[in-house]
Amino acid sequence: MIRLAVSADQPEIYSLICALEETSFPQEMFAWGFYTMLSSASHLLLVAEEEGQIIGLLHLRMEFQLHHCGTVAEIMELIVSREVRSKGIGAALLKAAREQAIQHHCIQFEVTSNQKRKQAHRFYQREGLEQTHIKLTEALL
């Protein structure tokens, strides 16, 4: 089942995000960001749930961008628990996110994915997204 995240989901989502990034984030800062996003119209947190357990998350940010002169939906995070990958859960989350983007009148749907995540790139391309940009970054802290 795909649904919107609620406050009680924070501990399970924290675990998923830490697994995605292969690190442990400060829990208080993570919780602050999570609850801020839950109350924001620009962010949607979709979860995949099975037997009362969260097994996937998709964070969708929607914002007006001047260079598109419209609202763009960007997948900020997408993770499925390692134990249940390759069972269509990621595709179901992606489909639900697309539907939300359309309902919110977004004109584009996009994702940025770390170069090391080759399997994720293949997944997104299978799901109809194409590589059109190169992202450049600089760590500040």
Side-chain angles (χ1 to χ4, degrees):
M1 170 174 88
I2 308 296
R3 62 170 176 79
L4 291 173
V6 295
S7 295
D9 297 330
Q10 188 270 329
E12 288 180 275
I13 290 173
Y14 172 80
S15 294
L16 281 172
I17 293 295
C18 287
L20 173 68
E21 293 299 324
E22 300 173 351
T23 192
S24 291
F25 291 107
Q27 289 189 2
E28 287 181 16
M29 180 63 82
F30 183 91
W32 172 84
F34 175 79
Y35 296 122
T36 299
M37 286 177 188
L38 281 184
S39 64
S40 171
S42 299
H43 295 267
L44 287 179
L45 299 172
L46 301 170
V47 295
E49 185 178 51
E50 187 175 86
E51 297 178 12
Q53 182 178 355
I54 294 174
I55 55 172
L57 166 77
L58 189 149
H59 168 201
L60 188 68
R61 180 180 68 192
M62 296 171 288
E63 65 182 5
F64 187 90
Q65 294 182 1
L66 295 174
H67 68 283
H68 285 292
C69 201
T71 303
V72 173
E74 182 177 7
I75 298 166
M76 303 308 296
E77 289 108 3
L78 172 56
I79 181 147
V80 173
S81 295
R82 188 173 306 280
E83 308 81 45
V84 294
R85 288 187 185 153
S86 299
K87 295 185 178 185
I89 296 160
L93 283 164
L94 200 61
K95 180 181 180 203
R98 267 196 192 101
E99 290 168 357
Q100 287 290 329
I102 291 166
Q103 288 176 16
H104 286 84
H105 309 288
C106 294
I107 61 167
Q108 186 165 305
F109 190 61
E110 61 187 36
V111 64
T112 300
S113 182
N114 190 304
Q115 290 183 34
K116 70 181 180 181
R117 295 193 174 112
K118 303 295 183 195
Q119 286 182 294
H121 305 162
R122 287 189 292 274
F123 165 75
Y124 290 123
Q125 289 171 336
R126 269 195 322 267
E127 294 298 319
L129 286 93
E130 60 183 86
Q131 183 179 357
T132 60
H133 291 68
I134 295 174
K135 182 175 185 171
L136 307 168
T137 65
E138 175 186 3
L140 297 176
L141 297 177

